[in-house]
Amino acid sequence: MKQSAAISARAVLAAVFAASVAGLTAGSVSAEVRLQLGFQDREVARLVSLGGSCNRCELSGRDLTGAAFNGANFTNATLVGANLRGAGLVGSNFTGSDFSRADLGGAELVGADFTGANFTNAGLSGAEAMGATLVRARLPGATLTGADLTGSNMNGAVLVAANLSNAELNATTLANVQARSANFTGAEVAMSNLSNGDFRSVSFRDATLNGSRLTGGNFAGANFSGAEMSRTDIRGADLSRARGLSQEQVGAACGDAATRLPNGLTARTCRSISLRLAHPRPVPRPPAPPVPPRVRNLAVATADR
């Protein structure tokens, strides 16, 4: 009886999945789709694994919770409103894909390529995207609270009104971004490149900006209350209309004559660090091996008796 019920459940789930990926099997699709069903107690566990190549795949609204995209090539795919919570997109290529309104909470995006992808109003809370490529990606209104974007490349990305509170963005490229009204409250943005970005009305409250580069950026209306700015590079940055800045913060940062600050604040000029190669002392030559003694001919005299 239990065996027949299991077989029935398997057949139902297989039919449901076949219907849900109908878009994969229609058109130009060479993707590999595997459905693995296991039974544990009374619940049926499902793991969807997608690999191979599927250009312009239509996966909008699909339930792909926990799906594994193993080094997949899903360029220009459409995943509008898809459920990708806990999914693994490690090392996959989603260049130009549309993830608008998709739920990628807790997903693993390590090393994935999202160049030019659309994440408008997407949910990426707690996502792990270390080393991901998000060049020119659009993330307006996206939620990235607690996400780990360490070492990722977000050059030219659109982060207007995005929520990156408590996110990890250490050693991240945020140059040339449009991040007006974004929320970086409590975020770790140390040793990152924020040069030439539009950060108007952004919240950096209690954020860590130590060693980051803010040169050439526009920070009108940005809130820096409680932010750590040890050796932050603010040369050429327009902070004249920023809020919450103190002399202690500015004094810990590194500015120049082109730095614009609120009235009463003075930037310091950091000494450039010059690296001098220390040439080690020459290693003394090892002593010459001792000269072997000259071979002498020994004459043995014998006395005649």
Side-chain angles (χ1 to χ4, degrees):
M1 186 67 177
K2 292 182 179 180
Q3 183 178 2
S4 62
I7 294 174
S8 177
R10 184 190 299 268
V12 169
L13 282 175
V16 171
F17 180 72
S20 67
V21 295
L24 283 174
T25 56
S28 58
V29 175
S30 58
E32 176 190 357
V33 181
R34 297 191 303 274
L35 179 63
Q36 300 174 356
L37 299 174
F39 297 92
Q40 183 177 4
D41 297 332
R42 297 181 180 179
E43 296 183 357
V44 179
R46 182 181 69 178
L47 172 64
V48 180
S49 181
L50 301 130
S53 177
C54 185
N55 185 34
R56 299 188 183 279
C57 265
E58 174 55 61
L59 295 167
S60 296
R62 305 296 185 189
D63 184 4
L64 297 168
T65 306
F69 292 80
N70 302 316
N73 185 6
F74 277 63
T75 55
N76 302 304
T78 304
L79 299 102
V80 177
N83 186 352
L84 290 154
R85 290 190 66 84
L89 285 70
V90 178
S92 294
N93 184 0
F94 283 88
T95 300
S97 295
D98 190 352
F99 291 91
S100 54
R101 303 193 308 279
D103 187 355
L104 293 100
E108 294 185 15
L109 317 175
V110 179
D113 189 350
F114 299 102
T115 301
N118 184 8
F119 290 92
T120 301
N121 296 321
L124 294 111
S125 295
E128 297 182 7
M130 293 84 74
T133 301
L134 290 150
V135 175
R136 298 185 303 279
R138 290 166 288 165
L139 298 104
T143 303
L144 298 103
T145 54
D148 191 347
L149 293 150
T150 301
S152 62
N153 186 352
M154 305 179 75
N155 192 354
V158 178
L159 296 164
V160 176
N163 187 353
L164 296 107
S165 58
N166 300 311
E168 295 184 32
L169 297 121
N170 298 315
T172 298
T173 300
L174 289 160
N176 308 300
V177 300
Q178 300 177 42
R180 188 169 186 172
S181 301
N183 184 4
F184 288 86
T185 301
E188 295 184 15
V189 200
M191 304 301 294
S192 296
N193 184 0
L194 286 73
S195 59
N196 303 312
D198 182 358
F199 294 97
R200 288 175 291 174
S201 302
V202 164
S203 174
F204 287 111
R205 290 179 62 90
D206 302 319
T208 302
L209 297 166
N210 298 332
S212 289
R213 184 180 182 185
L214 278 61
T215 58
N218 189 344
F219 297 90
N223 190 342
F224 286 88
S225 298
E228 295 183 18
M229 299 179 64
S230 176
R231 296 194 69 82
T232 302
D233 189 349
I234 57 174
R235 293 174 299 173
D238 185 2
L239 299 166
S240 60
R241 291 185 289 167
R243 299 182 292 123
L245 278 175
S246 66
Q247 182 57 49
E248 181 180 0
Q249 289 170 303
V250 174
C254 300
D256 62 3
T259 304
R260 301 179 60 188
L261 297 171
N263 292 332
L265 300 184
T266 305
R268 68 162 181 156
T269 302
C270 295
R271 293 180 179 178
S272 59
I273 301 174
S274 59
L275 299 177
R276 184 179 61 183
L277 274 178
H279 296 285
R281 294 179 180 178
V283 180
R285 293 181 179 179
V291 178
R294 290 182 300 172
V295 178
R296 297 180 180 179
N297 296 322
L298 299 177
V300 179
T302 58
D304 295 332
R305 289 183 179 179

